[in-house]
């Protein structure tokens, strides 16, 4: 397989009559799904969306999301998957930076209409698709752009990660080698599909003929009901979702005996959550995945984590996936920046050559994570080089939040960093020196809400009457401010 059209054609020829997607009351076979994907190209052409153009997608999880995720790149255009948790200014920036001509959405676009040539709702999309005629997939190259996937920026603006067909197909192969599925499985697609954890399974399941049960929005009791009803056997979730599933199953047990594989990633998971997951889902293998949007996303996997709970090995994120190379930018045995090489590594950041050059060096991607390898090649993460927080599986770049806080007229100085949170792993914490002592944390958080997605908002604010501690060159000493919150922890990330 070289391009996204290949798993589609494989599904069409090998699994035509088998169920491909179940989403609420709607069921589609693989044949029906691929036929709909074949209609996407002619539909886009009728809308004057030409080869190479970018198409924005802002919607909840669904089989229709999956067909656009596949059908737009297979038609020679690039999909721009947008984070539905972002505030309107963040979404507008991504659409305008991408130069997207079209936005397809299931919500009121509001001011986003000004950022593209045209907006169509999913209802209008259905009408247009019904009028479209299936066509052959576009003649595309594996190095052609398949999509732009926006992630936060250390300089305050989000970056469009350029993933090619080669990147996404390579990740499909790596996923199968690390989290193997078969056509006997049924996959519960629960993570948001704009996120790498959500879209990771789509191509893999299509290529293998694995039915996918799609959850439009995560709700733990609904997920457990679907596992019982459809005999789901595998899923990939962020740790907060795993914790919620554990609590819901404990409170109201279902027959989850079919559940054989629980993958988790996007942020570290608490040992107690792992213990309880193994107790509540005793038939399931626990698999820790580590990756990044820039690596499409998979880098490493730690299989049978349930056998390693409480051990030193259980604190690792596993071995590199077969096909991925990994090294540490440090002396052997010492911690340093984790670097990744492979066919899954992005082309670069859209229209950001300087930021691309900073992270892509001689074919290696600098992850910004600090880690070390043990004698058997297991990777352990200990800190982040990037000024970033991971809260509930979502990346929050401190500079983005700081930039908004500084726009408040009552703020003199501010800095942002992550502190431990039992539910979300980390939470956004702000330290502020006000120029006006009437400023309250509630005022500041509401001010930030106008510009930032909810998960990026400060959950706690500390006010100081003296200036923030700084180094000789004048840089705020964040580590000094963070240290008391992380005292007693074995690493500075959570």
């Amino acid at each position: 397989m070289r391009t996204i059209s290949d798993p589609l054609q494989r599904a069409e020829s090998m699994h035509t009559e088998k169920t491909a997607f179940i989403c609420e009351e709607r069921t589609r076979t693989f044949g029906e799904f691929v036929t709909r994907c074949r209609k996407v190209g002619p539909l886009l052409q009728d809308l004057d969306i030409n080869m190479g153009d970018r198409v924005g997608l802002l919607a909840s999880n669904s089989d229709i999301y999956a067909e656009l995720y596949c059908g737009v790149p297979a038609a020679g255009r690039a999909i721009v998957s947008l984070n539905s948790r972002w505030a309107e200014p963040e979404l507008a920036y991504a659409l305008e930076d991408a130069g997207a001509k079209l936005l397809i959405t299931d919500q009121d676009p509001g001011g986003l209409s000004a950022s593209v040539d045209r907006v169509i709702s999913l209802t209008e999309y259905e009408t247009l698709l019904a009028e479209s005629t299936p066509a052959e997939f576009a003649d595309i190259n594996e190095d052609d752009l398949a999509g732009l996937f926006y992630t936060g920026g250390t300089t305050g603006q989000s970056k469009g990660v350029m993933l090619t067909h080669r990147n996404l197909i390579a990740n499909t192969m790596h996923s199968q080698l690390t989290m193997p599925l078969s056509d006997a499985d049924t996959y519960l697609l629960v993570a948001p599909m704009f996120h790498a954890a959500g879209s990771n399974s789509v191509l893999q399941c299509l290529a293998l003929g694995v039915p996918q049960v799609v959850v439009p929005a995560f709700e733990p009791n609904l997920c457990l009901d679907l596992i019982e009803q459809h005999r789901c056997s595998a899923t990939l979730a962020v740790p907060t979702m795993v914790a919620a599933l554990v609590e819901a199953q404990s409170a109201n047990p279902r027959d989850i005996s079919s559940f054989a594989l629980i993958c988790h990633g996007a942020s570290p998971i608490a040992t107690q959550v792992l213990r309880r997951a193994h107790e509540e889902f005793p038939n399931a293998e626990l698999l820790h995945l580590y990756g990044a949007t820039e690596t499409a996303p998979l880098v490493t996997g730690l299989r049978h984590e349930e056998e390693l709970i409480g051990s030193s090995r259980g604190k690792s994120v596993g071995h590199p996936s077969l096909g991925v190379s990994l090294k540490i930018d440090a002396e052997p045995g010492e911690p340093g920046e984790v670097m990744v090489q492979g066919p899954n590594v992005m082309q670069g950041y859209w229209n950001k050559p300087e930021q691309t050059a900073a992270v892509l060096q001689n074919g290696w991607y600098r992850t910004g994570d600090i880690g070390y390898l043990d004698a058997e090649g297991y990777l352990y993460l200990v800190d982040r080089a990037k000024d970033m927080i991971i809260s509930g599986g979502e990346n929050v770049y401190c500079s983005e939040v700081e930039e908004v806080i500084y726009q408040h007229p009552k703020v003199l100085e501010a800095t942002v960093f992550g502190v431990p949170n039992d539910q979300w792993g980390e939470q956004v914490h702000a330290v502020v020196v006000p120029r006006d002592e009437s400023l309250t944390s509630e005022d500041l958080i509401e001010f930030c809400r106008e510009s930032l997605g909810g998960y990026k908002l400060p959950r706690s604010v500390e006010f100081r009457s003296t200036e923030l501690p700084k180094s000789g060159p004048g840089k705020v000493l964040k580590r000094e401010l963070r240290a008391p919150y992380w005292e007693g922890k074995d690493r500075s990330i959570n």
Side-chain angles (χ1 to χ4, degrees):
M1 298 192 299
R2 298 184 311 109
T3 71
I4 286 176
S5 61
D6 291 327
L8 291 171
Q9 291 170 328
R10 178 183 169 93
E12 185 179 46
S13 64
M14 295 179 63
H15 311 290
T16 307
E17 300 302 324
K18 187 178 180 182
T19 296
F21 287 93
I22 300 169
C23 184
E24 298 181 304
E25 303 303 315
R26 188 170 55 245
T27 300
R28 295 204 199 283
T29 66
F30 284 97
E32 290 169 339
F33 178 81
V34 177
T35 296
R36 288 174 63 90
C37 289
R38 289 187 180 279
K39 291 183 172 187
V40 172
L43 181 155
L44 294 175
Q45 196 63 53
D46 288 344
L47 295 175
D48 199 28
I49 308 299
N50 300 312
M51 293 280 286
D53 286 343
R54 276 77 62 203
V55 176
L57 177 57
L58 178 62
S60 301
N61 286 6
S62 70
D63 54 310
I64 298 172
Y65 196 114
E67 81 188 31
L68 287 164
Y69 175 83
C70 297
V72 170
R77 285 75 169 174
I79 193 75
V80 183
S81 295
L82 296 166
N83 190 328
S84 58
R85 296 173 182 165
W86 280 4
E88 188 174 290
E90 297 170 298
L91 295 167
Y93 173 81
L95 286 169
E96 291 166 14
D97 182 68
K101 284 189 173 183
L102 174 68
L103 172 63
I104 303 173
T105 183
D106 62 359
Q107 55 190 255
D108 180 355
L112 296 179
S113 300
S115 299
V116 292
D117 294 345
R118 182 168 178 179
V119 177
I120 61 172
S121 67
L122 284 191
T123 302
E124 186 179 357
Y125 167 78
E126 279 294 323
T127 300
L128 294 171
L129 197 79
E131 297 169 354
S132 184
T133 302
E136 292 299 314
F137 293 123
D139 182 13
I140 45 182
N141 187 280
E142 59 187 330
D143 291 319
D144 288 343
L145 184 67
L148 294 176
F149 302 86
Y150 277 80
T151 184
T154 54
T155 58
Q157 296 284 17
S158 58
K159 307 182 296 291
V161 175
M162 302 166 63
L163 296 182
T164 64
H165 287 260
R166 181 201 298 265
N167 296 151
L168 295 176
I169 292 299
N171 180 73
T172 300
M173 302 296 194
H174 300 161
S175 294
Q176 178 59 14
L177 292 166
T178 305
M179 45 175 282
L181 301 174
S182 77
D183 60 3
D185 283 304
T186 298
Y187 187 91
L188 183 72
L189 203 169
V190 61
M193 294 177 71
F194 61 75
H195 195 291
S199 57
N200 185 77
S201 68
V202 173
L203 297 177
Q204 181 182 2
C205 290
L206 283 169
L208 295 167
V210 176
Q212 298 179 73
V213 179
V214 184
V215 181
F218 177 72
E219 201 288 308
N221 286 298
L222 171 62
C223 291
L224 292 169
D225 290 342
L226 291 172
I227 292 167
E228 183 176 52
Q229 178 183 352
H230 298 292
R231 310 306 295 156
C232 297
S233 55
T235 197
L236 169 56
V238 299
T240 51
M241 291 178 176
V242 176
L245 289 170
V246 165
E247 292 298 325
Q249 175 66 6
S250 175
N252 182 16
R254 278 77 154 185
D255 178 3
I256 43 78
S257 56
S258 62
F259 222 33
L261 179 63
I262 302 175
C263 307
H264 64 88
S267 63
I269 192 167
T271 301
Q272 186 58 24
V273 173
L274 287 175
R275 283 199 178 96
R276 295 205 59 206
H278 184 43
E279 291 170 0
E280 297 297 337
F281 302 97
N283 296 341
E285 174 186 348
L286 301 179
L287 172 55
H288 188 165
L289 301 175
Y290 162 67
T293 305
E294 289 88 344
T295 55
L298 201 55
V299 174
T300 70
L302 181 67
R303 296 202 60 180
H304 288 291
E305 197 177 15
E306 73 281 0
E307 299 174 1
L308 302 171
I309 295 171
S311 70
S312 57
R313 178 62 50 79
K315 294 180 181 178
S316 85
V317 294
H319 282 133
S321 299
L322 194 61
V324 176
S325 298
L326 185 151
K327 68 179 182 179
I328 305 297
D329 190 13
E331 294 298 318
E334 294 296 316
E337 187 169 3
V338 179
M339 301 177 69
V340 179
Q341 186 181 67
N344 56 319
V345 172
M346 67 169 183
Q347 270 191 340
Y349 297 122
W350 181 260
N351 289 335
K352 289 182 170 55
E354 291 182 4
Q355 292 187 43
T356 298
V359 299
L360 289 183
Q361 298 173 1
N362 300 316
W364 290 87
Y365 166 62
R366 306 188 73 96
T367 64
D369 292 323
I370 305 299
Y372 66 91
L373 295 169
D374 69 11
E376 295 179 54
Y378 285 84
L379 174 64
Y380 295 76
L381 301 177
V382 296
D383 205 347
R384 294 191 194 98
K386 291 178 180 177
D387 194 11
M388 186 179 77
I389 301 160
I390 300 182
S391 182
E394 293 283 4
N395 294 352
V396 181
Y397 285 85
C398 299
S399 57
E400 289 185 272
V401 185
E402 289 166 351
E403 184 172 303
V404 172
I405 290 175
Y406 267 107
Q407 293 171 20
H408 196 292
K410 294 182 180 180
V411 169
L412 179 63
E413 275 194 299
T415 192
V416 168
F417 50 87
V419 298
N421 180 286
D422 290 340
Q423 181 178 5
W424 303 110
E426 292 177 278
Q427 70 179 40
V428 180
H429 179 74
V431 180
V432 174
V433 179
R435 65 173 78 246
D436 183 333
E437 292 185 2
S438 67
L439 179 65
T440 66
S441 57
E442 292 80 9
D443 292 340
L444 187 60
I445 291 168
E446 284 307 307
F447 177 82
C448 292
R449 197 183 301 277
E450 296 174 8
S451 303
L452 296 171
Y455 66 93
K456 297 180 183 179
L457 297 176
R459 299 294 169 185
S460 51
V461 181
E462 175 191 347
F463 291 104
R464 291 194 165 204
S465 58
T466 57
E467 70 172 283
L468 299 177
K470 298 179 182 70
S471 64
K475 186 175 181 180
V476 174
L477 296 172
K478 285 197 183 187
R479 287 190 180 276
E480 182 178 308
L481 293 168
R482 291 174 73 214
Y485 295 94
W486 293 92
E487 192 172 347
K489 304 282 185 179
D490 58 0
R491 55 188 179 186
S492 299
I493 53 178
N494 204 26

